[in-house]
């Protein structure tokens, strides 16, 4: 049974029990409607307490139903039935009341929250809007401006704030259910609060709407649901509750069937599945209670911060005192900034930093369960580090390299413990970027591999397993992307046209702006090294720019010109002149065709990577692109997009459930 009924005297207690998060599916809806009918007809019942089993109220509507036709009773019908019930319904909210869960609570006459309640309407993250009255009841309870933040900008309210703004009526200071029952017993003694549907809401001034719209569109970076949600919220405030509800449902159903929602659902399932690959589910993981990092540069410090923020004590090793002091300072700044950004008191950052030990002596790593190497990208340097680790670390410690390009198998060559060695490829800045490529070598044990996935989960990262090839999954695809963009330059397309097309598609930056920001010299040095090894690497426009001293923003010039102290790229006649000897065409191409050509290149390289067994599932490629390389989330990823386009060309679009099959772990 997904919904239980019990009695405490004349109070009925309705408990939604659908593990793990009490998601509302068709069975739950049917049962709630039936119970509302039955309890209204039951003279022995005075009031109803609605709650959730386990640690949450209700985590939302069941997303797996979103790919199917809507079945009756719909959630709006359930919410309306509860709101219109003859008996008062009280929502007793502990833990999460999200999306449809909160909408259900909004239909109740009284909301009681426990101290750990978290209330939110996160639908826009899935490319939809609340479809069961959330956009209409919420502003009538808490005012338009806070409602806009919750509906369009993912604001989550804690218990105290929920009471302060009027979303909840009562904060329980003892056991939640007892508090709700007490209130239910008293319901006859005083009038019930006016239901949300009958309340009025003060319309904000025009400037407030305009400001909100500009802010929401800027942050949404091309995704349409947040601004659509704003429009729906406003429509209801300006045209009344009934019309608002009608418009909300119509818009919800349209978005639910749309591409953006399909892409975001697909990613939702892929992200949920990523930390638990099917072949490792039954494998025991090792406890990780402390970690060491060797190398306190850009990556080492970022990785240390990620570990620190997850509450793991960290030992940071550098080669000398000066480098160590620099690394520890940088780490301090990052952890403090992260706490500040999260609105946490400085004491939290200090507690985390108290778990950090800095040293130049590897002996400090002797107790660590895991050590991650992040020293210079040089095989000999890395091998020397692991030889040292061999003699200082525990015999069962997991040892990992953060190399970007070197074959981890070569780094581990000659080590006596290859079964506890693997690549953990973090992305910069490591405390922020969610992608973690996990790169086992042939000898890595399954237990060590499973523990790496577990670590990713603890760090809040999105892990993707990669086989070994030059650049692993992400950097290999990036190289192909850049090569295709440069091929267009040789065809005569201007970098600013390519960058603008990719920005319009949803990237924060185009490929040439990105190269200017990162510096053109690193890949130039890679190409030069390959040439020095005797490999044939054709001359590229990037070579000519670097040779002319144009290394990107840091030299004030790259693909673009930069005014002193500015980062705004300006089209450059000089750059055009320098690369002219390599340009052999004058291609006229639309922005759409530019995007198609670059996405096709991403997807082709992704397919090659799958065919070679470097990645296991198309969704892994998409997770890498979305979480490591700025692919616009609301478009799903190059593999998703290409598969959708192929299927819709053939006969109608692939549903996210079908797309999900491309990631059988979901
Ligand atoms: P970095 O040059 O900023 O830092 C390297 C640090 O290692 C320096 O602080 C150096 O003093 C220290 N170091 C060198 N030898 C050492 C030794 N024997 N013992 C202790 N410390 C030693 O380099 P970065 O960028 O942090 O890169 C580190 C590794 O991470 C490289 O393998 C790189 O390919 C990889 N990586 C870099 C990314 C990036 O965006 N920078 C992204 C992902 C991986």
């Amino acid at each position: 049974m997904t919904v239980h009924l019990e009695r405490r005297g004349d109070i009925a207690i309705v408990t939604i029990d659908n593990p793990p998060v009490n998601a509302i599916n068709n069975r739950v809806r049917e049962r709630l409607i039936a119970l509302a009918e039955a309890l209204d007809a039951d003279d022995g019942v005075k009031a109803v307490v609605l709650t959730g089993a386990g640690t949450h109220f209700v985590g939302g509507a069941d997303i797996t139903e979103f790919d199917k036709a809507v079945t009756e009773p719909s959630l709006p019908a359930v919410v309306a039935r509860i709101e219109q019930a003859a008996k008062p319904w009280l929502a007793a909210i502990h833990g999460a009341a999200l999306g449809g869960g909160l909408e259900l609570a909004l239909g109740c006459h009284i909301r009681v929250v426990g101290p750990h309640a978290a209330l939110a309407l996160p639908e826009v993250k899935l490319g939809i809007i609340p479809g069961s009255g959330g956009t209409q009841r919420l502003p009538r309870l808490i005012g338009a401006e806070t409602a806009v933040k919750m509906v369009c900008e993912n604001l989550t309210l804690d218990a105290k704030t929920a009471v302060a703004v009027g979303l909840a009526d009562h904060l329980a200071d003892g056991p939640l259910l007892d508090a709700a029952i007490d209130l239910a017993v008293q319901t006859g003694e005083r009038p019930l609060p006016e239901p949300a549907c009958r309340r009025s809401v003060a319309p904000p001034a025009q400037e407030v709407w305009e400001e909100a719209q500009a802010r929401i569109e800027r942050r949404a970076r091309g995704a349409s649901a947040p601004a659509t949600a704003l429009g729906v919220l406003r429509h209801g405030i300006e045209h009344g509750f009934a019309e608002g509800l009608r418009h909300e449902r119509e818009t919800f159903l349209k978005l639910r069937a749309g591409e953006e929602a399909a892409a975001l659902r697909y990613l939702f399932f892929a992200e949920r599945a990523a930390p638990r690959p099917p072949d490792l589910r039954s494998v025991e993981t090792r406890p990780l209670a402390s970690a060491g990092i060797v190398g306190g540069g850009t990556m080492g410090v970022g990785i240390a911060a990620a570990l620190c923020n997850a509450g793991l004590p960290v030992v940071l090793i550098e080669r000398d005192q000066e480098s160590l002091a620099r690394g520890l300072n940088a780490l301090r700044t990052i952890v403090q900034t992260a706490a500040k950004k999260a609105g946490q008191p400085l004491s939290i950052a200090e507690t985390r930093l108290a778990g950090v030990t800095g040293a130049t002596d590897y002996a400090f790593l002797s107790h660590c369960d895991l050590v991650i190497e992040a020293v210079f990208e040089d095989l000999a340097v890395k091998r020397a580090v692991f030889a040292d680790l061999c003699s200082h670390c525990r015999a069962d410690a997991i040892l990992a390299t953060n190399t970007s390009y070197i074959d981890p198998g070569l780094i581990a060559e000659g080590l006596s413990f290859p079964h506890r060695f693997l690549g953990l490829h973090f992305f910069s800045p490591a405390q922020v970027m969610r992608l973690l490529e996990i790169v086992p070598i042939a000898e890595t044990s399954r237990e060590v591999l499973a523990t790496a996935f577990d670590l990713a989960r603890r760090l809040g990262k999105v892990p993707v397993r990669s086989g070994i090839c030059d650049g692993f999954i992400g950097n290999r695809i990036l190289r192909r992307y850049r090569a295709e963009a440069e091929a267009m330059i040789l065809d005569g397309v201007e970098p600013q046209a390519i960058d603008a097309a990719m920005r319009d598609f949803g990237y924060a930056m185009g490929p040439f702006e990105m190269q200017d920001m990162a510096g053109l010299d690193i890949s130039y040095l890679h190409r030069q090294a390959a040439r020095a090894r005797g490999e044939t690497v054709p001359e590229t426009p990037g070579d000519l720019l670097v040779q002319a001293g144009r290394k990107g923003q840091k030299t004030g010039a790259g693909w673009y010109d930069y005014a002193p102290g500015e980062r705004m790229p300006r089209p450059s006649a000089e750059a055009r002149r320098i690369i002219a000897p390599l340009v052999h065409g004058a291609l006229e191409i639309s922005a759409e065709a530019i995007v198609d050509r670059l996405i096709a290149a991403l997807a082709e390289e992704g397919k090659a990577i799958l065919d070679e067994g470097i990645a296991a599932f198309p969704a892994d490629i998409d997770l890498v692109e979305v979480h490591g390389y700025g692919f616009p989330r609301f478009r799903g990823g190059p593999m998703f997009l290409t598969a959708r386009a192929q299927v819709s060309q053939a006969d109608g679009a692939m549903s996210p459930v079908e797309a999900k099959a491309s990631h059988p772990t979901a």
Side-chain angles (χ1 to χ4, degrees), residues 52-337:
T55 48
H56 296 291
F57 179 69
V58 171
D62 182 347
I63 299 171
T64 58
E65 286 188 351
F66 283 18
D67 289 310
K68 303 172 191 152
V70 178
T71 53
E72 297 300 330
S74 68
L75 187 55
V78 175
V79 177
R81 180 65 189 80
I82 288 176
E83 192 170 51
Q84 288 150 21
K87 309 287 166 64
W89 280 59
L90 295 88
I93 301 170
H94 56 300
L98 305 181
L102 181 55
E103 291 182 293
L104 197 56
L106 291 175
C108 291
H109 307 96
I110 293 177
R111 282 159 295 281
V112 190
V113 285
H116 303 297
L119 300 91
L121 291 173
E123 281 84 349
V124 294
K125 286 193 199 163
L126 286 172
I128 54 173
I129 62 168
S132 306
T135 66
Q136 305 305 308
R137 290 188 177 87
L138 193 64
R140 285 168 171 81
L141 284 172
I142 65 173
E145 287 185 50
T146 313
V148 165
K149 291 200 178 108
M150 286 187 74
V151 171
C152 313
E153 300 177 274
N154 292 313
L155 174 70
T156 299
L157 297 190
D158 61 20
K160 272 193 187 146
T161 318
V163 174
V165 300
L167 176 50
D169 304 279
H170 187 80
L171 172 60
D173 47 15
L176 174 69
L177 199 56
D178 292 348
I181 291 169
D182 282 351
L183 283 170
V185 169
Q186 295 162 30
T187 48
E189 295 161 18
R190 56 179 101 102
L192 288 172
E194 193 77 43
C197 65
R198 287 212 288 274
R199 296 196 197 183
S200 61
V201 49
Q206 176 68 12
E207 309 85 77
V208 174
W209 289 122
E210 284 170 7
E211 222 172 80
Q213 171 130 3
R215 189 179 66 231
I216 288 163
E217 281 179 354
R218 193 175 62 244
R219 289 188 188 151
R221 285 240 196 94
S224 69
T228 305
L230 181 73
V232 167
L233 206 143
R234 180 173 185 176
H235 186 84
I237 290 176
E238 293 176 348
H239 296 86
F241 182 79
E243 166 56 19
L245 215 53
R246 186 205 60 75
H247 182 52
E248 178 200 79
R249 189 68 183 166
E250 181 185 84
T251 311
F252 165 81
L253 290 173
K254 204 158 97 202
L255 291 181
R256 179 186 189 267
E259 288 301 298
E260 187 171 314
L264 291 167
R265 278 203 295 280
Y266 160 80
L267 285 177
F268 172 86
F269 289 122
E271 284 159 5
R272 201 173 60 169
R276 294 174 191 83
D279 60 326
L280 296 176
R281 273 184 203 158
S282 56
V283 179
E284 274 293 300
T285 58
R286 296 196 190 175
L288 291 181
S290 62
I293 308 285
V294 183
T298 311
M299 290 310 290
V301 162
I303 298 167
L307 296 167
C308 232
N309 288 339
L312 271 168
V314 174
V315 178
L316 183 67
I317 299 285
E318 256 293 350
R319 52 188 173 149
D320 53 48
Q321 285 299 338
E322 196 188 330
S323 311
L324 180 62
R326 203 176 328 117
L328 289 173
N329 270 337
L331 178 57
R332 170 165 290 274
T333 308
I334 290 174
V335 173
Q336 286 176 341
T337 311

Side-chain angles (χ1 to χ4, degrees), residues 360-665:
T360 54
D361 182 348
Y362 282 44
F364 279 81
L365 297 170
S366 60
H367 67 286
C368 290
D369 297 317
L370 162 75
V371 178
I372 303 170
E373 165 278 309
V375 302
F376 302 133
E377 185 75 344
D378 180 298
L379 181 58
V381 176
K382 287 186 188 292
R383 275 187 172 159
V385 167
F386 282 99
D388 272 350
L389 291 177
C390 207
S391 51
H392 287 97
C393 291
R394 274 206 338 251
D396 61 347
I398 297 177
L399 301 177
T401 173
N402 182 49
T403 182
S404 316
Y405 285 97
I406 302 173
D407 178 345
L410 292 179
I411 299 174
E413 234 170 49
L415 293 181
S416 54
F417 50 76
H419 62 284
R420 50 189 174 92
F421 179 93
L422 81 173
L424 288 181
H425 187 211
F426 289 82
F427 288 72
S428 181
Q431 74 280 10
V432 175
M433 297 292 284
R434 289 191 67 204
L435 179 62
L436 175 63
E437 282 182 331
I438 296 182
V439 192
I441 61 172
E443 296 88 347
T444 306
S445 79
R446 285 161 57 72
E447 193 194 15
V448 166
L449 188 55
T451 307
F453 277 89
D454 193 44
L455 172 73
R457 191 187 49 70
R458 279 175 71 181
L459 301 183
K461 303 283 182 205
V462 176
V464 171
R465 189 183 326 184
S466 172
I468 296 173
C469 64
D470 196 21
F472 310 128
I473 299 173
N475 283 341
R476 172 170 161 181
I477 296 179
L478 176 65
R479 186 176 297 153
R480 173 72 185 269
Y481 176 67
R482 286 188 173 160
E484 193 62 34
E486 288 196 13
M488 272 193 259
I489 296 281
L490 302 188
D491 289 345
V493 186
E494 296 287 349
Q496 56 271 25
I498 298 171
D499 284 342
M502 297 320 282
R503 258 187 280 110
D504 285 351
F505 177 74
Y507 277 92
M509 252 182 243
F512 298 104
E513 295 159 337
M514 174 71 98
Q515 281 187 47
D516 270 3
M517 197 186 75
L520 275 64
D521 46 333
I522 300 168
S523 46
Y524 171 71
L525 291 175
H526 270 286
R527 288 192 295 275
Q528 288 294 79
R531 288 170 187 137
R533 289 194 300 268
E535 291 172 29
T536 312
V537 182
E539 188 165 52
T540 71
D543 292 341
L544 298 185
L545 292 170
V546 173
Q547 283 156 8
R550 300 178 69 98
K551 296 182 185 169
Q553 283 185 16
K554 59 186 166 189
T555 56
W559 287 99
Y560 294 93
D561 291 335
Y562 298 87
E566 275 189 22
R567 290 173 165 216
M568 222 246 308
R570 296 161 194 271
S572 172
E574 177 65 4
R576 196 180 304 135
R577 189 189 61 73
I578 292 168
I579 65 171
L582 294 178
V583 176
H584 49 60
L587 182 66
E588 299 271 332
I589 186 169
S590 68
E592 200 188 344
I594 290 173
V595 169
D596 285 351
R597 196 164 148 181
L598 286 177
I599 300 307
L602 293 177
E604 272 169 27
E605 196 64 30
K607 172 144 187 340
I609 284 171
L610 287 165
D611 291 347
E612 291 167 31
I614 300 292
F617 309 112
D620 285 348
I621 307 278
D622 289 335
L623 290 177
V624 165
E625 290 305 303
V626 167
H627 289 290
Y629 296 86
F631 193 97
R633 183 176 175 80
F634 68 94
R635 296 199 190 267
M639 306 311 285
F640 175 79
L641 212 53
T642 306
R644 291 286 279 196
Q646 281 164 359
V647 175
S648 72
Q649 263 170 19
D651 61 349
M654 173 171 64
S655 80
V657 166
E658 289 167 286
K660 209 174 65 164
S662 70
H663 196 306
T665 58

